[in-house]
Amino acid sequence: MTGLTRPTFAQICLANLQHNYLQAKQRSPNQVYAVIKADAYGHGMVQVAQGLTLADGFAVACVDEAMTLRANHITQPILVLEGAYGLDDWQLAAAHNLQMVVHHGEQLDWLDKSDFNSTGVVRVWLKINTGMNRVGIRPEQAKLMMARIQSHSNLMLSTLMTHHACSDEVDLSTAHTQLDRFYAIDSGLDSSSANSAAILAGLNQQDHISRAGIMLYGSSPFAHQTSVSLNLKPVMSLHSEVISLHQVKQGEAIGYGRRFIASQDMQVAVVAIGYGDGYPRHAPDGTPVLVNGQRCELAGKVSMDMITVDVSHCTQVSIGSPVELWGNQISVDEVATCSQTISYELFCRLTPRVPRCYEG
Ligand SMILES: *Cc1c(COP(=O)(O)O)cnc(C)c1O
């Protein structure tokens, strides 16, 4: 299937990606940009963009990512979320029709100090810091910055944006406070505030463009709601196979550091995946692993290339039996919770050793 002999691969279902994008569209009043930064959260940026021909636009972190999309003939609007890191980025943005976030005055200083005079006009989104306190202009400086951008003949200010710090929480009071500060700026511009959690929480009703990331990949941004309950479908399923089976006697230990001690005689399956593939090394004993369609538990520390699984209660397990680490049967969110992280990180940490296989 992969052209490689190791049975470990990530299957990427583009039909489910499209389904999830349409879920975002149905819950948004206007446009939805698909956030495909960091190699589309590990799913493969170009393939994901090609699978989302219906997307209103894309958002990436940096100009380098945007240039890769343009080099691969992606023609939809592309928003660069961190904007320019220097004058070169502005020049590339003008040449390749990229939309740029401005979150700091220095980004405009680079233009003022140069003879930047593009033939194309660069569309600009001004980012407002409404409480996240990471990047963005404070609301009281918004009018000044708007005027500064509007006075540039090579820039066209189109959109005011902000980013939520707490839209995934049960208590949405912080999110509402941020939105109150955002909408208090009377700009007459388009607005964009929502990430996936805000879209799914219905906080995007005034958005001209919402920005959907994690929900596109079929994972829930909420600790309190499952992806199934949100009608999202997993896009990635991570697969491997059993490569060894053996018996361990009661009292014997499995793996590095003797973390797992067998409480009774048991059968152990060894699976060809490890932290060298991005499977989380901190996954504790008991983390679910699907072996030949049956839910089993991780037993022993994750190695670089292998994990060990208790298959004592399983029927018909043999060398070559299929294993799902996460996907349709075991949700990535469940594995992330076990490892005290979030699906975003599990997706992004999948290493290049894992081939991505695409299906329609
Ligand atoms: C990454 C990112 C998003 C998408 O967030 P999700 O939680 O994955 O939906 C939206 N907006 C900005 C500014 C981002 O950096």
Side-chain angles (χ1 to χ4, degrees), residues 33-37 41 59-61 79 81-82 101 127 132 134-135 161-164 167-168 192-199 210-217 221 344:
Y33 278 16
V35 182
I36 57 172
K37 62 196 180 192
Y41 298 39
V60 293
L79 171 67
L81 292 166
E82 290 177 9
V101 170
K127 186 161 187 175
M132 174 82 168
R134 190 177 57 182
V135 292
M161 72 180 285
T162 193
H163 192 54
H164 282 290
S167 54
D168 58 332
S192 172
S193 65
N195 55 6
S196 296
I199 292 169
S210 298
R211 311 182 303 267
I214 197 68
M215 70 177 290
L216 297 179
Y217 309 103
Y344 299 70

Side-chain angles (χ1 to χ4, degrees), residues 128-313:
I128 311 297
N129 169 20
T130 55
M132 174 82 168
N133 291 320
R134 190 177 57 182
V135 292
I137 311 294
R138 296 187 79 90
E140 56 273 22
Q141 262 117 51
K143 281 280 157 69
L144 214 75
M145 287 295 288
M146 283 167 52
R148 238 191 116 181
I149 296 165
Q150 280 158 341
S151 72
H152 258 278
S153 55
N154 295 303
L155 305 182
M156 200 276 282
L157 180 58
S158 66
T159 312
L160 218 56
M161 72 180 285
T162 193
H163 192 54
H164 282 290
C166 301
S167 54
D168 58 332
E169 294 181 358
V170 177
D171 176 358
L172 291 173
S173 54
T174 303
H176 283 294
T177 303
Q178 284 193 243
L179 287 180
D180 289 346
R181 289 181 190 140
F182 186 53
Y183 294 123
I185 303 167
D186 175 26
S187 70
L189 299 167
D190 283 359
S191 57
S192 172
S193 65
N195 55 6
S196 296
I199 292 169
L200 294 165
L203 295 171
N204 64 336
Q205 293 311 303
Q206 294 186 64
D207 262 4
H208 294 87
I209 303 178
S210 298
R211 311 182 303 267
I214 197 68
M215 70 177 290
L216 297 179
Y217 309 103
S219 161
S220 169
F222 306 115
H224 57 280
Q225 263 177 293
T226 65
S227 53
V228 170
S229 73
L230 296 166
N231 193 13
L232 301 174
K233 296 183 179 174
V235 174
M236 179 193 293
S237 35
L238 183 58
H239 298 280
S240 188
E241 283 180 7
V242 173
I243 61 162
S244 168
L245 270 174
H246 60 93
Q247 303 289 328
V248 166
K249 293 202 166 52
Q250 180 181 16
E252 290 183 330
I254 303 172
Y256 286 117
R258 298 174 51 85
R259 183 179 75 182
F260 183 87
I261 311 279
S263 58
Q264 55 201 33
D265 291 0
M266 59 185 269
Q267 185 166 46
V268 180
V270 181
V271 178
I273 195 155
Y275 65 80
D277 303 293
Y279 192 82
R281 199 182 78 88
H282 290 98
D285 296 333
T287 300
V289 177
L290 199 78
V291 180
N292 209 11
Q294 300 157 91
R295 256 178 102 94
C296 301
E297 295 188 348
L298 188 75
K301 278 188 186 169
V302 171
S303 304
M304 188 180 292
D305 313 306
M306 290 178 272
I307 58 171
T308 39
V309 182
D310 177 2
V311 293
S312 304
H313 64 283

Side-chain angles (χ1 to χ4, degrees), residues 11 13 16 228 232-239 290 324-332 359:
Q11 185 82 28
C13 175
N16 287 358
V228 170
L232 301 174
K233 296 183 179 174
V235 174
M236 179 193 293
S237 35
L238 183 58
H239 298 280
L290 199 78
E324 180 189 288
L325 287 313
W326 61 65
N328 290 311
Q329 313 295 321
I330 292 180
S331 132
V332 66
E359 62 180 47

Side-chain angles (χ1 to χ4, degrees), residues 23-44:
Q23 289 298 310
K25 274 295 267 192
Q26 277 172 20
R27 296 162 190 258
S28 301
N30 295 298
Q31 293 200 328
V32 175
Y33 278 16
V35 182
I36 57 172
K37 62 196 180 192
D39 203 26
Y41 298 39
H43 291 65

Side-chain angles (χ1 to χ4, degrees), residues 60-67 78-94 98-112 114 116 122-127 135-136 145 149 155 161:
V60 293
C62 56
V63 167
D64 290 340
E65 291 176 337
M67 292 299 291
I78 300 176
L79 171 67
V80 178
L81 292 166
E82 290 177 9
Y85 302 133
L87 183 62
D88 290 353
D89 281 340
W90 279 115
Q91 263 142 6
L92 288 167
L98 310 178
Q99 303 180 14
M100 299 291 276
V101 170
V102 166
H103 60 77
H104 199 284
E106 190 114 349
Q107 294 175 312
L108 299 174
D109 296 345
W110 299 323
L111 294 180
D112 294 340
S114 77
F116 180 77
V122 181
R123 226 177 107 166
V124 168
W125 296 38
L126 179 61
K127 186 161 187 175
V135 292
M145 287 295 288
I149 296 165
L155 305 182
M161 72 180 285

